Amino acid sequence: MMSLIRLMIFATVVLSASLFLSSPAHAELEWKLDETASVLNFVSVKNDHVAELHRFNELKGTWIGEKLTIQIPVESLDTQIEIRDERMLEHLLHANKHPFITAEASIPHASVSDIPVLSTVPLEVDLQVFIAGEVQPVSAVVQVTRIEVDRFLATTAEPVLISTKAFKLVEGVNKLREIANLQAIDYVIPVTFSVQFERQPPQ
């Protein structure tokens, strides 16, 4: 009789533990980037003083566990001039071989989950950025606002500076300068973004 009772207690403990660990509260949290509420812009400077604003029209992203992944389809490049889009995709971004620009980071969930609704906190994010087959560390200083319990907004507090030299894109920049008959194109590109993430219901 005593053995049967011990067996029943053991079974109850195992079952309770399995249910606890598989409950939504302990499932891996997943957030998804809201493409309709997110934007990424960058600036190019030609002939030392002419600045032009460009953007990517598509952004994709997930934050699962502590891993943040952002993917930018390079074909969504929009410089407002079609022939310039084509030249940048061919000579700079090599879109036929590298269809995405990707950024990855490890971010603890407490950095967002502890923010009260309608409050904003600064956050420095160390990214690994992949462009045209090259990867470089890039630091981004952002302001994170908890818009709702299940939604937050992250915006750049200052431009993120992308060095075309670090990503081995100088040859492409020089080719674009030559084709457009320009005196110079800056090798450093300021990038700004505003992205929203929404928490997904547990599976």
Side-chain angles (χ1 to χ4, degrees):
M1 182 67 178
M2 186 62 66
S3 298
L4 179 60
I5 292 174
R6 286 180 181 149
L7 181 60
M8 291 175 64
I9 292 174
F10 176 75
T12 301
V13 170
V14 171
L15 178 61
S16 299
S18 64
L19 290 173
F20 176 77
L21 292 173
S22 63
S23 66
H26 290 78
E28 201 167 42
L29 292 176
E30 178 178 354
W31 298 70
K32 185 176 180 180
L33 184 143
D34 184 346
E35 298 181 36
T36 63
S38 301
V39 64
L40 183 146
N41 298 310
F42 66 97
V43 175
S44 65
V45 179
K46 63 184 182 183
N47 294 339
D48 297 329
H49 65 275
V50 180
E52 295 179 295
L53 182 64
H54 316 298
R55 65 183 296 171
F56 287 95
N57 289 324
E58 294 181 31
L59 300 175
K60 303 177 184 297
T62 57
W63 184 24
I64 302 175
E66 294 189 350
K67 183 177 181 181
L68 172 71
T69 303
I70 304 290
Q71 282 195 321
I72 306 169
V74 295
E75 291 285 354
S76 70
L77 173 67
D78 183 4
T79 70
Q80 303 297 311
I81 300 176
E82 185 176 353
I83 186 62
R84 181 165 59 190
D85 293 348
E86 295 173 359
R87 290 169 177 171
M88 288 182 66
L89 290 173
E90 178 180 357
H91 300 294
L92 186 67
L93 298 174
H94 306 290
N96 59 330
K97 293 182 179 179
H98 308 286
F100 294 98
I101 294 172
T102 303
E104 298 178 350
S106 179
I107 304 177
H109 268 282
S111 59
V112 170
S113 60
D114 290 347
I115 302 174
V117 175
L118 300 182
S119 295
T120 301
V121 300
L123 183 66
E124 185 169 349
V125 181
D126 294 322
L127 298 162
Q128 290 291 314
V129 178
F130 301 78
I131 303 177
E134 296 293 328
V135 58
Q136 290 291 325
V138 175
S139 180
V141 179
V142 300
Q143 295 281 358
V144 180
T145 302
R146 191 77 174 270
I147 302 175
E148 302 171 359
V149 172
D150 294 329
R151 179 177 288 266
F152 71 87
L153 165 71
T155 60
T156 42
E158 56 190 50
V160 178
L161 301 180
I162 299 296
S163 168
T164 57
K165 291 182 179 180
F167 284 96
K168 300 181 181 180
L169 299 173
V170 169
E171 183 178 347
V173 173
N174 290 341
K175 182 66 175 179
L176 295 174
R177 175 182 55 78
E178 177 186 334
I179 293 174
N181 194 27
L182 299 172
Q183 295 178 354
I185 298 177
D186 280 10
Y187 293 126
V188 177
I189 301 173
V191 176
T192 59
F193 58 79
S194 175
V195 294
Q196 290 190 28
F197 278 82
E198 184 175 26
R199 184 160 53 190
Q200 303 301 294
Q203 300 298 319

